[in-house]
Amino acid sequence: MTEYDYWKIFPRMPRKVTIGDITVRDGFQHEEKFISTAAKIFYIEEMIMAGCRNIEITNLGNPYLMPQFRDAEQLLTHVRSDAFKNRCAKKGIRYEDICFTAVTIRESAVDRAIALKQKGIGPDRLLMMVSTEEQHHFANSGTTLPDYWKEAERCIKKCNDAGMKMCGTVSTIWGSPIGGATDMKDAVEFARRWLSIGAHDIEHADHDGSASAPEVYRYFSMVLDALPNPKLHIAHFHETKRMASASILAALQAGITHFECTLGGLGGQPANFLDDCPTKGTGDYYYEDPRYVGLVCLEDTLVQIDEMGIEHGYDVDRVLWLGKMMEKTIGRRLRSEAVVNGRTKREGHPQFARPGLKKLKEKFGEQPDQKLPADWGPIESLPERCFQVGA
């Protein structure tokens, strides 16, 4: 190895990324208690003040299925209010730069979004979803893939005519929690299909944490070979095996510039129990242990990207503070390690230094920055085994 410049080794890796926050929608949808509307508004506002410009805030599907989102119109009303716009202006934030997304899995939800748009409180962007594995798709949508594609085609036309964008999600790229192994070529084809029927961008989703780093690199390389514009693609990783940060790195190396995360690694399948009452959600959970679901942590991902020297636009310390607040909101320890340990400090932690080192070096006649014995010269030779490759 003679080349040590990361960006020369991975020439597609970006110098700047977009990190969208989907805590209030995907993060909260898995919680088995109702998160108050006031808390949702707090996190929406605070994430925007911390630098987020792409934020998913609700699901416009039937509240009977997902009562966590029974306050959807209240949230949209708030973010469209003059009071909120004025607060953004006072903080130097261009309101027009913020993109508010709502999930609209079926046509009835798209129609609801259009009606809200006509009232002046609609989202900027909607999201529909297909899975390459049809059992998983059926669990989420209640219909077949061919039927859903035709529905999506109608919905995108309606959406665009109403002045909103549509994101097309492709799921089960690296495997399905129901049907098992999948073919990544199907996902590339599905991404092409979304764009051909008018989708604005594509969310490439690992909804059950099946992805591994080499397969993530391979897939996004395939995607960018087929559809080279990086602005079209969003990477969405769930964390079930503590491998999502490796997937983030592999996607960066392949050239992906847009990611989605949640505070504390919250999220997962819509809850089938809320407060003291069972609810429909999307049926039985796909897992047995609730500790191993959710998305990649925003806090940890942000620290990772920040320490790589990649531009992201966030106030990292403010996000870490929000992660601590989120643990109070949810009422349990969440999965971010950065919230506990913070960022790597170049100045170290001098408060943990043991006393006496300076005096000991003086006693031995050593210079303050001396690290080797004074009578040691340059290394003249090393054992032959140091240079054996593949032995």
Side-chain angles (χ1 to χ4, degrees), residues 285-332:
Y285 296 147
Y286 304 141
Y287 57 84
E288 296 181 1
D289 192 328
R291 293 176 298 173
Y292 299 104
V293 294
L295 279 91
V296 63
C297 291
L298 173 62
E299 303 96 310
D300 297 2
T301 299
L302 190 54
V303 168
Q304 176 186 2
I305 286 173
D306 186 69
E307 294 187 357
M308 288 176 70
I310 297 174
E311 187 180 345
H312 49 73
Y314 278 85
D315 178 337
V316 179
D317 292 328
R318 189 164 187 165
V319 171
L320 293 178
W321 175 78
L322 280 172
K324 293 178 181 178
M325 296 304 101
M326 183 60 74
E327 292 193 344
K328 292 185 176 183
T329 294
I330 299 300
R332 66 177 185 274

mmCIF file of all heavy atoms in Angstrom, residues 285-332:
data_model
loop_
_atom_site.group_PDB
_atom_site.id
_atom_site.type_symbol
_atom_site.label_atom_id
_atom_site.label_comp_id
_atom_site.label_asym_id
_atom_site.label_seq_id
_atom_site.Cartn_x
_atom_site.Cartn_y
_atom_site.Cartn_z
ATOM 1 N N TYR A 285 -44.713 -8.421 15.364
ATOM 2 C CA TYR A 285 -43.359 -7.925 15.145
ATOM 3 C C TYR A 285 -42.505 -8.996 14.456
ATOM 4 O O TYR A 285 -42.746 -10.196 14.598
ATOM 5 C CB TYR A 285 -42.712 -7.517 16.464
ATOM 6 C CG TYR A 285 -43.398 -6.368 17.164
ATOM 7 C CD1 TYR A 285 -43.430 -6.298 18.553
ATOM 8 C CD2 TYR A 285 -44.005 -5.343 16.452
ATOM 9 C CE1 TYR A 285 -44.039 -5.246 19.217
ATOM 10 C CE2 TYR A 285 -44.618 -4.275 17.102
ATOM 11 C CZ TYR A 285 -44.636 -4.237 18.487
ATOM 12 O OH TYR A 285 -45.247 -3.194 19.130
ATOM 13 N N TYR A 286 -41.477 -8.531 13.738
ATOM 14 C CA TYR A 286 -40.594 -9.431 13.012
ATOM 15 C C TYR A 286 -39.448 -9.950 13.872
ATOM 16 O O TYR A 286 -38.512 -10.556 13.354
ATOM 17 C CB TYR A 286 -39.965 -8.709 11.811
ATOM 18 C CG TYR A 286 -40.920 -8.099 10.830
ATOM 19 C CD1 TYR A 286 -40.636 -6.862 10.258
ATOM 20 C CD2 TYR A 286 -42.087 -8.740 10.451
ATOM 21 C CE1 TYR A 286 -41.493 -6.290 9.340
ATOM 22 C CE2 TYR A 286 -42.964 -8.175 9.542
ATOM 23 C CZ TYR A 286 -42.655 -6.949 8.987
ATOM 24 O OH TYR A 286 -43.503 -6.373 8.082
ATOM 25 N N TYR A 287 -39.445 -9.697 15.150
ATOM 26 C CA TYR A 287 -38.302 -10.002 15.996
ATOM 27 C C TYR A 287 -38.803 -10.469 17.351
ATOM 28 O O TYR A 287 -39.988 -10.346 17.687
ATOM 29 C CB TYR A 287 -37.437 -8.745 16.173
ATOM 30 C CG TYR A 287 -38.218 -7.600 16.744
ATOM 31 C CD1 TYR A 287 -38.402 -7.488 18.113
ATOM 32 C CD2 TYR A 287 -38.847 -6.675 15.924
ATOM 33 C CE1 TYR A 287 -39.171 -6.485 18.650
ATOM 34 C CE2 TYR A 287 -39.618 -5.667 16.457
ATOM 35 C CZ TYR A 287 -39.779 -5.566 17.814
ATOM 36 O OH TYR A 287 -40.550 -4.579 18.341
ATOM 37 N N GLU A 288 -37.886 -10.972 18.162
ATOM 38 C CA GLU A 288 -38.256 -11.460 19.489
ATOM 39 C C GLU A 288 -37.739 -10.571 20.608
ATOM 40 O O GLU A 288 -38.278 -10.607 21.708
ATOM 41 C CB GLU A 288 -37.733 -12.892 19.678
ATOM 42 C CG GLU A 288 -38.387 -13.886 18.711
ATOM 43 C CD GLU A 288 -37.892 -15.307 18.922
ATOM 44 O OE1 GLU A 288 -37.062 -15.508 19.835
ATOM 45 O OE2 GLU A 288 -38.338 -16.193 18.183
ATOM 46 N N ASP A 289 -36.698 -9.790 20.342
ATOM 47 C CA ASP A 289 -36.095 -8.967 21.397
ATOM 48 C C ASP A 289 -36.138 -7.496 20.975
ATOM 49 O O ASP A 289 -35.451 -7.104 20.029
ATOM 50 C CB ASP A 289 -34.643 -9.397 21.632
ATOM 51 C CG ASP A 289 -34.055 -8.783 22.897
ATOM 52 O OD1 ASP A 289 -34.445 -7.646 23.241
ATOM 53 O OD2 ASP A 289 -33.202 -9.429 23.528
ATOM 54 N N PRO A 290 -36.921 -6.662 21.664
ATOM 55 C CA PRO A 290 -37.078 -5.257 21.256
ATOM 56 C C PRO A 290 -35.832 -4.412 21.435
ATOM 57 O O PRO A 290 -35.781 -3.272 20.977
ATOM 58 C CB PRO A 290 -38.210 -4.749 22.165
ATOM 59 C CG PRO A 290 -38.167 -5.646 23.362
ATOM 60 C CD PRO A 290 -37.747 -6.990 22.842
ATOM 61 N N ARG A 291 -34.783 -4.959 22.072
ATOM 62 C CA ARG A 291 -33.551 -4.183 22.222
ATOM 63 C C ARG A 291 -32.789 -4.088 20.903
ATOM 64 O O ARG A 291 -31.910 -3.258 20.754
ATOM 65 C CB ARG A 291 -32.642 -4.821 23.279
ATOM 66 C CG ARG A 291 -33.197 -4.770 24.691
ATOM 67 C CD ARG A 291 -32.291 -5.506 25.656
ATOM 68 N NE ARG A 291 -32.184 -6.922 25.295
ATOM 69 C CZ ARG A 291 -31.354 -7.775 25.889
ATOM 70 N NH1 ARG A 291 -30.566 -7.354 26.868
ATOM 71 N NH2 ARG A 291 -31.315 -9.037 25.515
ATOM 72 N N TYR A 292 -33.127 -4.943 19.962
ATOM 73 C CA TYR A 292 -32.345 -5.018 18.730
ATOM 74 C C TYR A 292 -33.156 -4.607 17.514
ATOM 75 O O TYR A 292 -33.208 -5.319 16.509
ATOM 76 C CB TYR A 292 -31.767 -6.426 18.574
ATOM 77 C CG TYR A 292 -30.858 -6.785 19.718
ATOM 78 C CD1 TYR A 292 -31.285 -7.642 20.725
ATOM 79 C CD2 TYR A 292 -29.595 -6.218 19.828
ATOM 80 C CE1 TYR A 292 -30.464 -7.945 21.793
ATOM 81 C CE2 TYR A 292 -28.773 -6.507 20.899
ATOM 82 C CZ TYR A 292 -29.202 -7.379 21.881
ATOM 83 O OH TYR A 292 -28.390 -7.657 22.947
ATOM 84 N N VAL A 293 -33.804 -3.467 17.618
ATOM 85 C CA VAL A 293 -34.503 -2.883 16.468
ATOM 86 C C VAL A 293 -34.195 -1.390 16.453
ATOM 87 O O VAL A 293 -33.654 -0.846 17.402
ATOM 88 C CB VAL A 293 -36.034 -3.112 16.525
ATOM 89 C CG1 VAL A 293 -36.362 -4.582 16.405
ATOM 90 C CG2 VAL A 293 -36.622 -2.538 17.807
ATOM 91 N N GLY A 294 -34.579 -0.733 15.377
ATOM 92 C CA GLY A 294 -34.381 0.703 15.287
ATOM 93 C C GLY A 294 -33.364 1.053 14.220
ATOM 94 O O GLY A 294 -32.751 0.183 13.596
ATOM 95 N N LEU A 295 -33.205 2.346 14.013
ATOM 96 C CA LEU A 295 -32.290 2.817 12.976
ATOM 97 C C LEU A 295 -30.896 3.061 13.530
ATOM 98 O O LEU A 295 -30.655 2.985 14.724
ATOM 99 C CB LEU A 295 -32.823 4.130 12.360
ATOM 100 C CG LEU A 295 -33.902 3.926 11.306
ATOM 101 C CD1 LEU A 295 -35.278 3.950 11.946
ATOM 102 C CD2 LEU A 295 -33.812 4.973 10.233
ATOM 103 N N VAL A 296 -29.994 3.379 12.626
ATOM 104 C CA VAL A 296 -28.665 3.813 13.039
ATOM 105 C C VAL A 296 -28.821 5.137 13.802
ATOM 106 O O VAL A 296 -29.653 5.972 13.455
ATOM 107 C CB VAL A 296 -27.745 3.963 11.813
ATOM 108 C CG1 VAL A 296 -28.234 5.022 10.859
ATOM 109 C CG2 VAL A 296 -26.311 4.230 12.224
ATOM 110 N N CYS A 297 -28.040 5.302 14.870
ATOM 111 C CA CYS A 297 -28.145 6.492 15.722
ATOM 112 C C CYS A 297 -27.664 7.736 14.997
ATOM 113 O O CYS A 297 -26.566 7.750 14.432
ATOM 114 C CB CYS A 297 -27.297 6.324 16.974
ATOM 115 S SG CYS A 297 -27.882 5.113 18.140
ATOM 116 N N LEU A 298 -28.452 8.789 15.063
ATOM 117 C CA LEU A 298 -28.023 10.074 14.514
ATOM 118 C C LEU A 298 -26.772 10.570 15.230
ATOM 119 O O LEU A 298 -25.816 11.026 14.591
ATOM 120 C CB LEU A 298 -29.144 11.108 14.652
ATOM 121 C CG LEU A 298 -28.781 12.534 14.261
ATOM 122 C CD1 LEU A 298 -28.394 12.631 12.793
ATOM 123 C CD2 LEU A 298 -29.918 13.489 14.587
ATOM 124 N N GLU A 299 -26.771 10.486 16.564
ATOM 125 C CA GLU A 299 -25.648 11.039 17.323
ATOM 126 C C GLU A 299 -24.329 10.367 16.921
ATOM 127 O O GLU A 299 -23.324 11.023 16.665
ATOM 128 C CB GLU A 299 -25.878 10.846 18.834
ATOM 129 C CG GLU A 299 -27.165 11.454 19.360
ATOM 130 C CD GLU A 299 -28.288 10.440 19.427
ATOM 131 O OE1 GLU A 299 -28.522 9.733 18.410
ATOM 132 O OE2 GLU A 299 -28.933 10.342 20.491
ATOM 133 N N ASP A 300 -24.335 9.032 16.861
ATOM 134 C CA ASP A 300 -23.112 8.296 16.563
ATOM 135 C C ASP A 300 -22.684 8.497 15.111
ATOM 136 O O ASP A 300 -21.500 8.665 14.811
ATOM 137 C CB ASP A 300 -23.312 6.811 16.856
ATOM 138 C CG ASP A 300 -23.592 6.538 18.330
ATOM 139 O OD1 ASP A 300 -23.669 7.508 19.115
ATOM 140 O OD2 ASP A 300 -23.738 5.363 18.691
ATOM 141 N N THR A 301 -23.664 8.482 14.208
ATOM 142 C CA THR A 301 -23.364 8.694 12.788
ATOM 143 C C THR A 301 -22.782 10.080 12.562
ATOM 144 O O THR A 301 -21.819 10.253 11.806
ATOM 145 C CB THR A 301 -24.638 8.511 11.947
ATOM 146 O OG1 THR A 301 -25.126 7.180 12.118
ATOM 147 C CG2 THR A 301 -24.365 8.763 10.471
ATOM 148 N N LEU A 302 -23.357 11.060 13.227
ATOM 149 C CA LEU A 302 -22.896 12.434 13.064
ATOM 150 C C LEU A 302 -21.465 12.597 13.572
ATOM 151 O O LEU A 302 -20.624 13.236 12.926
ATOM 152 C CB LEU A 302 -23.842 13.379 13.805
ATOM 153 C CG LEU A 302 -23.682 14.873 13.578
ATOM 154 C CD1 LEU A 302 -23.742 15.222 12.097
ATOM 155 C CD2 LEU A 302 -24.774 15.629 14.334
ATOM 156 N N VAL A 303 -21.163 12.000 14.726
ATOM 157 C CA VAL A 303 -19.800 12.061 15.252
ATOM 158 C C VAL A 303 -18.846 11.340 14.300
ATOM 159 O O VAL A 303 -17.737 11.821 14.012
ATOM 160 C CB VAL A 303 -19.738 11.466 16.668
ATOM 161 C CG1 VAL A 303 -18.296 11.241 17.111
ATOM 162 C CG2 VAL A 303 -20.442 12.394 17.661
ATOM 163 N N GLN A 304 -19.247 10.184 13.791
ATOM 164 C CA GLN A 304 -18.415 9.433 12.850
ATOM 165 C C GLN A 304 -18.080 10.279 11.623
ATOM 166 O O GLN A 304 -16.918 10.392 11.220
ATOM 167 C CB GLN A 304 -19.149 8.158 12.411
ATOM 168 C CG GLN A 304 -18.412 7.343 11.346
ATOM 169 C CD GLN A 304 -19.237 6.171 10.838
ATOM 170 O OE1 GLN A 304 -20.374 5.964 11.241
ATOM 171 N NE2 GLN A 304 -18.671 5.384 9.938
ATOM 172 N N ILE A 305 -19.092 10.890 11.033
ATOM 173 C CA ILE A 305 -18.892 11.682 9.817
ATOM 174 C C ILE A 305 -18.109 12.955 10.120
ATOM 175 O O ILE A 305 -17.231 13.368 9.360
ATOM 176 C CB ILE A 305 -20.253 11.966 9.161
ATOM 177 C CG1 ILE A 305 -20.774 10.677 8.502
ATOM 178 C CG2 ILE A 305 -20.179 13.101 8.147
ATOM 179 C CD1 ILE A 305 -22.172 10.762 7.950
ATOM 180 N N ASP A 306 -18.406 13.575 11.257
ATOM 181 C CA ASP A 306 -17.698 14.792 11.654
ATOM 182 C C ASP A 306 -16.203 14.515 11.840
ATOM 183 O O ASP A 306 -15.353 15.296 11.397
ATOM 184 C CB ASP A 306 -18.313 15.328 12.950
ATOM 185 C CG ASP A 306 -17.738 16.668 13.373
ATOM 186 O OD1 ASP A 306 -18.015 17.654 12.679
ATOM 187 O OD2 ASP A 306 -17.013 16.712 14.380
ATOM 188 N N GLU A 307 -15.869 13.403 12.473
ATOM 189 C CA GLU A 307 -14.470 13.089 12.731
ATOM 190 C C GLU A 307 -13.742 12.578 11.492
ATOM 191 O O GLU A 307 -12.513 12.512 11.474
ATOM 192 C CB GLU A 307 -14.368 12.102 13.898
ATOM 193 C CG GLU A 307 -14.838 12.744 15.205
ATOM 194 C CD GLU A 307 -14.618 11.890 16.443
ATOM 195 O OE1 GLU A 307 -14.141 10.750 16.313
ATOM 196 O OE2 GLU A 307 -14.924 12.386 17.552
ATOM 197 N N MET A 308 -14.495 12.264 10.433
ATOM 198 C CA MET A 308 -13.884 11.955 9.140
ATOM 199 C C MET A 308 -13.559 13.223 8.355
ATOM 200 O O MET A 308 -12.930 13.158 7.298
ATOM 201 C CB MET A 308 -14.825 11.074 8.307
ATOM 202 C CG MET A 308 -14.955 9.647 8.806
ATOM 203 S SD MET A 308 -16.162 8.716 7.837
ATOM 204 C CE MET A 308 -15.275 8.562 6.278
ATOM 205 N N GLY A 309 -14.011 14.375 8.860
ATOM 206 C CA GLY A 309 -13.766 15.633 8.166
ATOM 207 C C GLY A 309 -14.734 15.903 7.039
ATOM 208 O O GLY A 309 -14.458 16.718 6.154
ATOM 209 N N ILE A 310 -15.893 15.235 7.074
ATOM 210 C CA ILE A 310 -16.916 15.433 6.046
ATOM 211 C C ILE A 310 -17.911 16.479 6.536
ATOM 212 O O ILE A 310 -18.407 16.403 7.660
ATOM 213 C CB ILE A 310 -17.635 14.105 5.728
ATOM 214 C CG1 ILE A 310 -16.638 13.094 5.160
ATOM 215 C CG2 ILE A 310 -18.792 14.332 4.760
ATOM 216 C CD1 ILE A 310 -17.206 11.707 4.956
ATOM 217 N N GLU A 311 -18.224 17.446 5.689
ATOM 218 C CA GLU A 311 -19.142 18.528 6.050
ATOM 219 C C GLU A 311 -20.566 17.993 6.152
ATOM 220 O O GLU A 311 -21.003 17.190 5.319
ATOM 221 C CB GLU A 311 -19.061 19.628 4.989
ATOM 222 C CG GLU A 311 -19.852 20.878 5.330
ATOM 223 C CD GLU A 311 -19.738 21.947 4.256
ATOM 224 O OE1 GLU A 311 -18.830 21.842 3.391
ATOM 225 O OE2 GLU A 311 -20.570 22.873 4.270
ATOM 226 N N HIS A 312 -21.316 18.464 7.171
ATOM 227 C CA HIS A 312 -22.663 17.943 7.403
ATOM 228 C C HIS A 312 -23.681 19.010 7.793
ATOM 229 O O HIS A 312 -24.890 18.777 7.704
ATOM 230 C CB HIS A 312 -22.640 16.863 8.485
ATOM 231 C CG HIS A 312 -21.886 17.286 9.716
ATOM 232 N ND1 HIS A 312 -22.380 18.197 10.607
ATOM 233 C CD2 HIS A 312 -20.663 16.942 10.176
ATOM 234 C CE1 HIS A 312 -21.500 18.390 11.570
ATOM 235 N NE2 HIS A 312 -20.439 17.643 11.338
ATOM 236 N N GLY A 313 -23.253 20.156 8.289
ATOM 237 C CA GLY A 313 -24.164 21.246 8.584
ATOM 238 C C GLY A 313 -24.816 21.236 9.950
ATOM 239 O O GLY A 313 -25.659 22.098 10.238
ATOM 240 N N TYR A 314 -24.473 20.286 10.817
ATOM 241 C CA TYR A 314 -25.103 20.188 12.136
ATOM 242 C C TYR A 314 -24.227 20.803 13.228
ATOM 243 O O TYR A 314 -22.995 20.824 13.128
ATOM 244 C CB TYR A 314 -25.344 18.725 12.507
ATOM 245 C CG TYR A 314 -26.591 18.111 11.927
ATOM 246 C CD1 TYR A 314 -26.587 17.556 10.647
ATOM 247 C CD2 TYR A 314 -27.770 18.051 12.656
ATOM 248 C CE1 TYR A 314 -27.729 16.963 10.120
ATOM 249 C CE2 TYR A 314 -28.917 17.459 12.145
ATOM 250 C CZ TYR A 314 -28.882 16.916 10.875
ATOM 251 O OH TYR A 314 -30.012 16.338 10.358
ATOM 252 N N ASP A 315 -24.887 21.234 14.289
ATOM 253 C CA ASP A 315 -24.220 21.570 15.543
ATOM 254 C C ASP A 315 -24.150 20.270 16.340
ATOM 255 O O ASP A 315 -25.137 19.836 16.944
ATOM 256 C CB ASP A 315 -25.043 22.630 16.282
ATOM 257 C CG ASP A 315 -24.444 23.024 17.629
ATOM 258 O OD1 ASP A 315 -23.684 22.217 18.202
ATOM 259 O OD2 ASP A 315 -24.761 24.119 18.117
ATOM 260 N N VAL A 316 -23.004 19.617 16.326
ATOM 261 C CA VAL A 316 -22.885 18.276 16.904
ATOM 262 C C VAL A 316 -23.205 18.279 18.393
ATOM 263 O O VAL A 316 -23.925 17.404 18.890
ATOM 264 C CB VAL A 316 -21.469 17.708 16.660
ATOM 265 C CG1 VAL A 316 -21.332 16.326 17.289
ATOM 266 C CG2 VAL A 316 -21.175 17.633 15.162
ATOM 267 N N ASP A 317 -22.708 19.255 19.127
ATOM 268 C CA ASP A 317 -22.946 19.282 20.569
ATOM 269 C C ASP A 317 -24.426 19.452 20.896
ATOM 270 O O ASP A 317 -24.928 18.874 21.865
ATOM 271 C CB ASP A 317 -22.126 20.404 21.214
ATOM 272 C CG ASP A 317 -20.627 20.125 21.164
ATOM 273 O OD1 ASP A 317 -20.249 18.939 21.216
ATOM 274 O OD2 ASP A 317 -19.845 21.088 21.043
ATOM 275 N N ARG A 318 -25.117 20.228 20.073
ATOM 276 C CA ARG A 318 -26.553 20.396 20.302
ATOM 277 C C ARG A 318 -27.299 19.088 20.057
ATOM 278 O O ARG A 318 -28.226 18.734 20.780
ATOM 279 C CB ARG A 318 -27.104 21.505 19.396
ATOM 280 C CG ARG A 318 -28.537 21.905 19.714
ATOM 281 C CD ARG A 318 -28.887 23.231 19.076
ATOM 282 N NE ARG A 318 -30.211 23.715 19.491
ATOM 283 C CZ ARG A 318 -30.642 24.948 19.317
ATOM 284 N NH1 ARG A 318 -29.853 25.850 18.739
ATOM 285 N NH2 ARG A 318 -31.838 25.320 19.723
ATOM 286 N N VAL A 319 -26.879 18.335 19.052
ATOM 287 C CA VAL A 319 -27.507 17.046 18.782
ATOM 288 C C VAL A 319 -27.228 16.066 19.921
ATOM 289 O O VAL A 319 -28.123 15.310 20.334
ATOM 290 C CB VAL A 319 -27.034 16.486 17.421
ATOM 291 C CG1 VAL A 319 -27.510 15.047 17.234
ATOM 292 C CG2 VAL A 319 -27.541 17.361 16.276
ATOM 293 N N LEU A 320 -26.017 16.081 20.453
ATOM 294 C CA LEU A 320 -25.707 15.195 21.584
ATOM 295 C C LEU A 320 -26.558 15.554 22.795
ATOM 296 O O LEU A 320 -27.030 14.671 23.531
ATOM 297 C CB LEU A 320 -24.221 15.265 21.923
ATOM 298 C CG LEU A 320 -23.262 14.707 20.863
ATOM 299 C CD1 LEU A 320 -21.809 14.887 21.302
ATOM 300 C CD2 LEU A 320 -23.550 13.253 20.563
ATOM 301 N N TRP A 321 -26.772 16.840 23.014
ATOM 302 C CA TRP A 321 -27.670 17.268 24.095
ATOM 303 C C TRP A 321 -29.091 16.773 23.844
ATOM 304 O O TRP A 321 -29.763 16.274 24.764
ATOM 305 C CB TRP A 321 -27.642 18.789 24.218
ATOM 306 C CG TRP A 321 -28.627 19.322 25.222
ATOM 307 C CD1 TRP A 321 -28.494 19.318 26.578
ATOM 308 C CD2 TRP A 321 -29.904 19.910 24.943
ATOM 309 N NE1 TRP A 321 -29.619 19.884 27.174
ATOM 310 C CE2 TRP A 321 -30.493 20.249 26.187
ATOM 311 C CE3 TRP A 321 -30.600 20.187 23.763
ATOM 312 C CZ2 TRP A 321 -31.748 20.844 26.266
ATOM 313 C CZ3 TRP A 321 -31.859 20.774 23.856
ATOM 314 C CH2 TRP A 321 -32.416 21.101 25.099
ATOM 315 N N LEU A 322 -29.550 16.864 22.600
ATOM 316 C CA LEU A 322 -30.897 16.385 22.268
ATOM 317 C C LEU A 322 -31.012 14.886 22.507
ATOM 318 O O LEU A 322 -32.070 14.398 22.927
ATOM 319 C CB LEU A 322 -31.230 16.714 20.814
ATOM 320 C CG LEU A 322 -31.667 18.149 20.543
ATOM 321 C CD1 LEU A 322 -31.769 18.393 19.044
ATOM 322 C CD2 LEU A 322 -33.000 18.445 21.218
ATOM 323 N N GLY A 323 -29.926 14.150 22.239
ATOM 324 C CA GLY A 323 -29.947 12.718 22.523
ATOM 325 C C GLY A 323 -30.163 12.428 23.997
ATOM 326 O O GLY A 323 -30.891 11.491 24.362
ATOM 327 N N LYS A 324 -29.562 13.240 24.857
ATOM 328 C CA LYS A 324 -29.773 13.080 26.299
ATOM 329 C C LYS A 324 -31.219 13.407 26.686
ATOM 330 O O LYS A 324 -31.825 12.742 27.528
ATOM 331 C CB LYS A 324 -28.801 13.967 27.076
ATOM 332 C CG LYS A 324 -27.354 13.544 26.936
ATOM 333 C CD LYS A 324 -26.426 14.491 27.686
ATOM 334 C CE LYS A 324 -24.970 14.073 27.517
ATOM 335 N NZ LYS A 324 -24.037 14.996 28.196
ATOM 336 N N MET A 325 -31.773 14.449 26.062
ATOM 337 C CA MET A 325 -33.165 14.798 26.331
ATOM 338 C C MET A 325 -34.103 13.684 25.875
ATOM 339 O O MET A 325 -35.101 13.381 26.539
ATOM 340 C CB MET A 325 -33.529 16.109 25.626
ATOM 341 C CG MET A 325 -32.776 17.343 26.109
ATOM 342 S SD MET A 325 -32.950 17.648 27.904
ATOM 343 C CE MET A 325 -31.377 16.981 28.503
ATOM 344 N N MET A 326 -33.761 13.061 24.738
ATOM 345 C CA MET A 326 -34.614 11.998 24.210
ATOM 346 C C MET A 326 -34.689 10.813 25.174
ATOM 347 O O MET A 326 -35.743 10.176 25.306
ATOM 348 C CB MET A 326 -34.105 11.547 22.838
ATOM 349 C CG MET A 326 -34.976 10.496 22.169
ATOM 350 S SD MET A 326 -36.681 11.067 21.886
ATOM 351 C CE MET A 326 -36.412 12.184 20.497
ATOM 352 N N GLU A 327 -33.599 10.524 25.860
ATOM 353 C CA GLU A 327 -33.645 9.432 26.827
ATOM 354 C C GLU A 327 -34.641 9.735 27.948
ATOM 355 O O GLU A 327 -35.318 8.831 28.449
ATOM 356 C CB GLU A 327 -32.251 9.161 27.392
ATOM 357 C CG GLU A 327 -31.307 8.578 26.340
ATOM 358 C CD GLU A 327 -30.037 8.002 26.915
ATOM 359 O OE1 GLU A 327 -29.716 8.316 28.089
ATOM 360 O OE2 GLU A 327 -29.365 7.229 26.212
ATOM 361 N N LYS A 328 -34.753 11.008 28.308
ATOM 362 C CA LYS A 328 -35.759 11.382 29.310
ATOM 363 C C LYS A 328 -37.171 11.270 28.737
ATOM 364 O O LYS A 328 -38.101 10.831 29.419
ATOM 365 C CB LYS A 328 -35.504 12.816 29.794
ATOM 366 C CG LYS A 328 -34.229 12.976 30.604
ATOM 367 C CD LYS A 328 -34.103 14.389 31.155
ATOM 368 C CE LYS A 328 -32.873 14.542 32.042
ATOM 369 N NZ LYS A 328 -32.776 15.888 32.638
ATOM 370 N N THR A 329 -37.339 11.676 27.486
ATOM 371 C CA THR A 329 -38.659 11.588 26.853
ATOM 372 C C THR A 329 -39.126 10.136 26.765
ATOM 373 O O THR A 329 -40.280 9.823 27.077
ATOM 374 C CB THR A 329 -38.604 12.194 25.437
ATOM 375 O OG1 THR A 329 -38.352 13.597 25.547
ATOM 376 C CG2 THR A 329 -39.907 11.986 24.685
ATOM 377 N N ILE A 330 -38.224 9.251 26.342
ATOM 378 C CA ILE A 330 -38.595 7.852 26.142
ATOM 379 C C ILE A 330 -38.624 7.089 27.468
ATOM 380 O O ILE A 330 -39.384 6.147 27.644
ATOM 381 C CB ILE A 330 -37.615 7.184 25.152
ATOM 382 C CG1 ILE A 330 -37.683 7.900 23.797
ATOM 383 C CG2 ILE A 330 -37.923 5.705 24.980
ATOM 384 C CD1 ILE A 330 -39.041 7.883 23.135
ATOM 385 N N GLY A 331 -37.786 7.505 28.410
ATOM 386 C CA GLY A 331 -37.794 6.873 29.723
ATOM 387 C C GLY A 331 -36.891 5.662 29.849
ATOM 388 O O GLY A 331 -37.093 4.814 30.723
ATOM 389 N N ARG A 332 -35.872 5.565 28.972
ATOM 390 C CA ARG A 332 -34.925 4.461 29.078
ATOM 391 C C ARG A 332 -33.613 4.860 28.409
ATOM 392 O O ARG A 332 -33.565 5.813 27.650
ATOM 393 C CB ARG A 332 -35.476 3.181 28.446
ATOM 394 C CG ARG A 332 -35.666 3.244 26.941
ATOM 395 C CD ARG A 332 -36.156 1.918 26.367
ATOM 396 N NE ARG A 332 -36.226 1.946 24.914
ATOM 397 C CZ ARG A 332 -37.260 2.378 24.218
ATOM 398 N NH1 ARG A 332 -38.348 2.818 24.845
ATOM 399 N NH2 ARG A 332 -37.229 2.364 22.889
#
